[in-house]
Amino acid sequence: MRVTVMTGSMMSLPLAVVVVLSVLLTGATHAGPEMDPYKILGVTKSASQAEIKKVYKRLAKEWHPDKNKNPGAEDMFIKITKSYEILSSEDKRANYDRYGQTDDTQPYGGGRYGHRHDSFYFDESFFNFPFNSKNHRDFTDSKYTLHFNQYVNDVVPDSYKRPYLIKITSDWCFSCIHIEPVWKEVVQEMENLGVGIGVVDVGYERRLANHLGAHRTPSILGVINGKVTFFHYAVAKEHLRQFVEDLLPQRLVERITDKNDLQFLNSWHEINKPHVLLFDQVPAVPLLYKLTAFAYKDYLQFGYVDQGLSETADLQKQFNINTYAPTMLVFKENVDKPADIIQAKGMKKQIIDEFMSNNKFLLAPRLVNQKLFDELCPVKQFHRRRKYCVLLITGDEETFSFGNQAFLSFASTNIKDVVRYAYVYQRLQQPLCDILMQNKDSAQSQPQVVILERRNAAGKALFKPVTAWNGSEEEKQRLLEELDRIQKDPSILIHDAVLPELNNEFASMFVIRWIYASYDYLSEVIDDILHNNWREMMPLLSLIFSALFILFGTVVIQAFSDSGEETKPKAKDGTKAENGSPGSGSLSRPPKKNFVEVTELTDITYMSNLVKLRPGHMNIVLVLTDASKNILLSKFAKEVYSFTGSLTLHFSFLNIDKHGEWMNTLLEYAQDAMQIDADEEEGGNHKIDYTGYVLALNGHKRYLCLFKPVYTGEDLDSKSSEDEGGASVGRSRSKPNRSRSLSTLQIHHKLDRLGLWMERLMEGTLPRYYIPAWPGLDKISIPTVQGCGGSAMIWGCCSWSGLGSET
């Protein structure tokens, strides 16, 4: 029994191995048919590309996850997309037919065989995922990959000539696979129409994605005129086509009928551009024509004629238009006969671009700006590429119309490759005309024809005035002879000059362009709000709310401040008016005390109050005598009271009876200050009276500002009139008292304008007199407490109230 059992066990081991190998081989054998692109699309191996594309479109619509709610629709759609990608490529299809595998890593188990590495069998489908990784990114995406510098330097400037369609993707974007078939089809169509294409990989160009405002993948956006617009609808070919069309300005192409055709064509003189008319059977303007109009909007004016309308029958008959193919006509100065024409069933972009480039200018356009001048009369580069510009300098009045028409007729019958014709209005381009006509004055001269050749971009040009121009046959013959001579001998251009830059005659159109730009911006904002694109709207909303908050806060603060001012007692207003000029305290803090503290400048306080005064601080020093001390200090306190709130001002007085020598020495150092008082001496030897002078001393920077007393005499006049109105007896009795009153009033009024001087001091508008060093106080005396009312005083300090009373 044991032997039997052992034998059975040993016999079962090879059987188990065989069973396991059979299972593995069976699994390997059936691994491939799961991904058969022919079966998935339902086509034979001999199917053509057109048949495969037709079947793919039908299946993609049927199994699109947005339309098919079946749970397996998404997986089936991915398989359909992958199958079409294999069979639409000749290389991938041949590789699959030959080896049963594709040239990629078969994320859905499509290969029958794996690869062998170091004697080990690897099924690569085990290690791959259905993501748009860098190694397996579609070659079309790599062709259009954008970088930040490329976008800023190339795409943005080019977006003023054509719109750009940009896809935002990333390596690990599963949803990006869904839009790939539609994206490829749209790219192929839009690129043929002239639309720029770009792809931004967020993983490698995070800076550019943030710059564009793209924060999710996949995203599609458009760029035109440097402005970014996001696509918000379902990714379908029709929607993307409409999105590109909506990016373009709305006023590019004007619809023309029998009623407005003459108005459209005759506007060439006003806008200084040729006109293009497209005749076609479709009611909507073709997208290719709109893109062409956007690319050449600076040079041409575009119109569209719908041949299916009865209102356009006369136009078709007038120009003998073929109804079976689109026809494009270019009109220049002659509105009855087109200058050029093309007609073809399938107009290609290259043919249209060549047609437009050859008809960008009128036969004799008006020079309206520097850009047009640079293109019409380019700078000489090589000897064989000489370009001569025949320029008519004329006027825009009706009297010049005959000569202008004659010049246009001459230009149309004498077209040469090396000659460009143009005219300029002398009134609008006066600096240029003065140089070319060699005018000494700015008066408008007779029309004249000038031939010129530009030599460099700095404006240097050679020119020769040819003839006065009234349109006669003799003048035409003379001009024709000069053109023949110049082609043989360019040295006949004997004058040279540096031409000024031309005025932009269409600059007034800026307001209209600004209105249009504002309209487009508001439309974009409304569109973003409707599609709840809050992340992109956050900067704008933040700006709006910040402005509203600042405005609201300003109004509230102003309201509270106005109410606070209205509640102030009127008595304070009267006090402020009494203390000096109106608003005298506006440059300093309001006073904290009801008195002015004035310190006498002596040898004890000299160092602390002047020499070692802190930086930024100033000492306002009143110069007085013993006799005038009480009167001047009272007036001084009134004038400077409103400035006592400033922490950088200190107030002192200097007794000139004690320190007259110091005052003389100080003003000798400041020679400019002495010059102020030179008129007082007038060569005399009498002593200068410094009573009532005020010095603003900056001890740190060593400079002073000087206030010179000004006597107004207002109160004295009133007193005189009152005295003169009294009786003669009273006049004789009050004569001694009146003399004392006159002396007191004269001293009192010496500080009348001190308040205004203090305001100028605080504003920093007073002249400054710098001195090399502060002189010392040689004469030392003990200060007296004169005029303090016998009250207890700080040594050397008197406190005067803001109203002038002593405390």
Side-chain angles (χ1 to χ4, degrees):
M1 290 294 293
R2 290 180 183 176
V3 177
T4 304
V5 172
M6 286 292 292
T7 303
S9 300
M10 294 178 65
M11 291 291 292
S12 62
L13 182 59
L15 181 61
V17 173
V18 171
V19 171
V20 172
L21 291 176
S22 300
V23 172
L24 292 176
L25 289 174
T26 303
T29 303
H30 291 83
E34 294 181 2
M35 182 58 185
D36 188 346
Y38 292 104
K39 289 184 179 180
I40 292 175
L41 295 181
V43 296
T44 62
K45 290 189 176 182
S46 60
S48 63
Q49 289 293 336
E51 294 175 351
I52 292 174
K53 186 175 183 180
K54 182 178 180 181
V55 173
Y56 163 71
K57 287 184 176 181
R58 177 177 56 82
L59 293 177
K61 292 180 180 179
E62 179 183 352
W63 290 98
H64 197 283
D66 293 342
K67 298 181 179 180
N68 195 326
K69 302 304 180 182
N70 193 315
E74 185 173 354
D75 294 336
M76 188 61 186
F77 180 77
I78 295 173
K79 290 181 179 180
I80 293 171
T81 304
K82 190 65 180 177
S83 300
Y84 177 72
E85 182 179 345
I86 296 171
L87 299 184
S88 61
S89 173
E90 296 296 339
D91 295 336
K92 292 182 180 181
R93 184 177 180 180
N95 190 38
Y96 180 82
D97 293 340
R98 184 175 300 177
Y99 304 109
Q101 62 186 33
T102 61
D103 56 355
D104 58 6
T105 53
Q106 302 174 6
Y108 301 100
R112 292 191 179 95
Y113 306 102
H115 297 282
R116 296 184 179 274
H117 302 279
D118 300 331
S119 302
F120 287 95
Y121 174 79
F122 290 93
D123 185 359
E124 292 188 356
S125 63
F126 180 78
F127 299 98
N128 282 273
F129 302 92
F131 296 109
N132 188 24
S133 63
K134 181 180 180 181
N135 295 330
H136 309 112
R137 188 180 303 148
D138 198 289
F139 72 96
T140 55
D141 283 358
S142 61
K143 176 183 176 183
Y144 304 111
T145 300
L146 292 179
H147 307 286
F148 182 81
N149 292 334
Q150 180 185 1
Y151 172 81
V152 173
N153 299 328
D154 299 335
V155 174
V156 173
D158 196 37
S159 68
Y160 289 86
K161 298 180 180 178
R162 61 171 179 165
Y164 271 78
L165 197 62
I166 299 177
K167 180 182 70 171
I168 309 298
T169 184
S170 65
D171 288 348
W172 299 90
C173 174
F174 185 81
S175 301
C176 297
I177 300 177
H178 296 175
I179 68 172
E180 280 302 316
V182 180
W183 172 256
K184 291 179 182 177
E185 193 173 353
V186 171
V187 165
Q188 185 177 1
E189 179 185 359
M190 292 294 114
E191 193 172 23
N192 292 334
L193 296 178
V195 178
I197 305 297
V199 175
V200 178
D201 193 317
V202 176
Y204 300 94
E205 285 295 332
R206 173 66 63 179
R207 181 185 179 188
L208 177 54
N210 293 335
H211 179 77
L212 295 172
H215 304 286
R216 61 174 180 267
T217 56
S219 294
I220 296 178
L221 54 91
V223 180
I224 189 169
N225 292 331
K227 184 180 67 174
V228 178
T229 304
F230 279 83
F231 176 75
H232 300 292
Y233 302 95
V235 180
K237 182 179 177 180
E238 295 76 12
H239 294 166
L240 286 171
R241 183 185 177 91
Q242 187 63 42
F243 173 67
V244 173
E245 195 165 349
D246 292 340
L247 289 176
L248 299 171
Q250 300 298 319
R251 295 160 294 275
L252 281 175
V253 181
E254 184 178 351
R255 289 188 171 270
I256 306 301
T257 63
D258 297 335
K259 298 179 180 179
N260 64 346
D261 60 323
L262 291 179
Q263 179 183 358
F264 175 75
L265 296 176
N266 285 323
S267 62
W268 67 268
H269 188 268
E270 298 176 5
I271 64 177
N272 201 39
K273 296 178 183 178
H275 287 68
V276 182
L277 278 181
L278 174 65
F279 292 79
D280 204 350
Q281 291 280 359
V282 293
V285 181
L287 179 58
L288 176 60
Y289 191 59
K290 287 186 175 182
L291 292 170
T292 303
F294 180 73
Y296 294 92
K297 61 182 181 297
D298 294 334
Y299 303 97
L300 300 161
Q301 193 75 9
F302 292 84
Y304 179 73
V305 180
D306 183 3
Q307 294 178 266
L309 298 177
S310 59
E311 293 86 352
T312 62
D314 293 342
L315 270 176
Q316 300 177 50
K317 184 178 179 180
Q318 178 183 356
F319 299 112
N320 195 20
I321 301 299
N322 187 353
T323 58
Y324 299 101
T327 306
M328 196 174 294
L329 309 179
V330 171
F331 294 86
K332 295 186 178 180
E333 286 87 348
N334 188 356
V335 299
D336 297 324
K337 183 180 179 181
D340 203 352
I341 179 173
I342 57 171
Q343 189 176 43
K345 271 195 173 182
M347 286 192 185
K348 300 297 182 182
K349 181 180 182 299
Q350 294 77 8
I351 299 176
I352 296 178
D353 286 343
E354 183 179 358
F355 180 74
M356 298 299 172
S357 299
N358 294 335
N359 296 280
K360 285 168 52 174
F361 305 108
L362 297 169
L363 294 176
R366 184 173 86 253
L367 295 183
V368 294
N369 52 46
Q370 187 65 33
K371 179 183 177 183
L372 182 60
F373 188 32
D374 293 339
E375 296 195 40
L376 278 176
C377 305
V379 176
K380 172 192 171 184
Q381 297 178 348
F382 304 102
H383 178 74
R384 295 183 179 179
R385 296 185 181 179
R386 289 179 179 270
K387 291 289 185 181
Y388 300 103
C389 197
V390 180
L391 186 62
L392 171 64
I393 301 175
T394 182
D396 54 351
E397 291 83 3
E398 187 66 27
T399 55
F400 299 100
S401 59
F402 179 78
N404 297 344
Q405 288 294 331
F407 182 78
L408 175 59
S409 176
F410 180 87
S412 61
T413 55
N414 294 277
I415 299 176
K416 301 179 183 294
D417 292 336
V418 297
V419 176
R420 293 284 179 84
Y421 298 92
Y423 69 97
V424 61
Y425 286 150
Q426 183 177 357
R427 180 178 60 85
L428 301 178
Q429 303 293 344
Q430 191 69 46
L432 174 68
C433 298
D434 289 344
I435 292 177
L436 296 179
M437 300 180 72
Q438 299 179 337
N439 283 350
K440 300 301 181 181
D441 54 2
S442 298
Q444 188 165 346
S445 304
Q446 185 180 3
Q448 191 170 350
V449 174
V450 178
I451 301 177
L452 64 88
E453 179 189 14
R454 300 183 65 194
R455 286 304 182 97
N456 57 37
K460 182 179 180 181
L462 301 179
F463 68 94
K464 178 185 178 182
V466 177
T467 177
W469 188 264
N470 291 314
S472 64
E473 293 300 326
E474 294 80 5
E475 293 167 347
K476 292 181 181 180
Q477 185 62 32
R478 193 178 304 121
L479 177 57
L480 186 59
E481 292 174 357
E482 289 293 331
L483 290 177
D484 292 337
R485 285 183 57 196
I486 199 172
Q487 295 184 55
K488 299 176 183 178
D489 183 15
S491 62
I492 66 172
L493 301 178
I494 56 177
H495 302 285
D496 65 331
V498 177
L499 303 181
E501 185 172 349
L502 268 66
N503 300 324
N504 186 4
E505 297 180 15
F506 291 155
S508 58
M509 301 294 290
F510 171 77
V511 177
I512 299 177
R513 292 197 299 268
W514 182 83
I515 294 174
Y516 288 157
S518 302
Y519 173 78
D520 294 337
Y521 181 75
L522 291 176
S523 300
E524 181 185 0
V525 170
I526 294 173
D527 183 67
D528 287 339
I529 293 176
L530 292 177
H531 291 89
N532 297 325
N533 198 3
W534 298 111
R535 183 187 291 270
E536 299 159 18
M537 289 293 297
M538 279 304 295
L540 178 62
L541 294 176
S542 176
L543 178 63
I544 293 175
F545 282 112
S546 299
L548 292 176
F549 177 78
I550 294 173
L551 181 63
F552 178 76
T554 304
V555 171
V556 171
I557 294 174
Q558 186 68 27
F560 277 107
S561 62
D562 291 344
S563 62
E565 291 178 359
E566 291 175 358
T567 56
K568 288 183 178 180
K570 294 184 178 180
K572 291 188 177 181
D573 294 339
T575 304
K576 185 180 295 185
E578 185 182 359
N579 289 337
S581 61
S584 60
S586 60
L587 299 177
S588 61
R589 298 182 181 182
K592 297 182 179 180
K593 304 176 182 179
N594 58 354
F595 59 90
V596 180
E597 185 175 352
V598 184
T599 305
E600 182 176 359
L601 197 62
T602 64
D603 62 314
I604 300 175
T605 60
Y606 183 75
M607 295 297 293
S608 60
N609 285 4
L610 178 57
V611 179
K612 295 185 177 181
L613 201 63
R614 286 181 293 176
H617 288 237
M618 297 188 72
N619 197 347
I620 313 301
V621 180
L622 170 66
V623 181
L624 47 74
T625 59
D626 290 335
S628 61
K629 181 176 182 180
N630 290 339
I631 299 174
L632 287 180
L633 280 178
S634 176
K635 180 65 174 180
F636 181 76
K638 291 180 182 180
E639 295 293 330
V640 303
Y641 174 73
S642 58
F643 298 91
T644 56
S646 175
L647 301 179
T648 60
L649 295 181
H650 308 272
F651 301 94
S652 302
F653 68 90
L654 177 73
N655 196 327
I656 197 66
D657 294 336
K658 305 174 184 177
H659 305 292
E661 296 179 2
W662 180 87
M663 187 69 178
N664 291 328
T665 305
L666 179 67
L667 294 184
E668 284 178 0
Y669 283 163
Q671 296 296 328
D672 294 335
M674 287 298 295
Q675 188 67 26
I676 297 174
D677 299 316
D679 57 277
E680 293 187 5
E681 295 186 82
E682 296 180 353
N685 296 324
H686 66 277
K687 186 178 180 181
I688 301 176
D689 182 16
Y690 294 116
T691 305
Y693 278 47
V694 178
L695 305 173
L697 307 176
N698 190 315
H700 179 70
K701 293 187 176 181
R702 293 198 295 274
Y703 71 82
L704 63 91
C705 299
L706 179 65
F707 170 78
K708 181 181 177 181
V710 178
Y711 174 66
T712 60
E714 295 172 356
D715 292 346
L716 181 61
D717 293 338
S718 61
K719 285 285 184 180
S720 300
S721 61
E722 290 175 4
D723 291 343
E724 289 174 1
S728 58
V729 178
R731 185 182 307 168
S732 60
R733 187 172 54 240
S734 61
K735 188 173 183 180
N737 295 331
R738 183 170 178 267
S739 61
R740 289 194 301 270
S741 176
L742 289 174
S743 177
T744 303
L745 286 173
Q746 186 175 3
I747 296 174
H748 176 77
H749 284 290
K750 281 190 173 186
L751 302 179
D752 278 348
R753 301 188 181 277
L754 181 60
L756 298 176
W757 183 83
M758 288 294 296
E759 287 186 359
R760 292 186 59 192
L761 176 67
M762 299 299 291
E763 293 172 355
T765 58
L766 290 175
R768 298 177 179 180
Y769 308 104
Y770 288 85
I771 61 175
W774 294 113
L777 285 177
D778 299 330
K779 186 176 180 179
I780 303 174
S781 62
I782 300 176
T784 60
V785 192
Q786 181 177 355
C788 292
S791 57
M793 299 296 299
I794 303 174
W795 180 259
C797 173
C798 290
S799 298
W800 298 83
S801 70
L803 299 178
S805 60
E806 302 176 16
T807 58

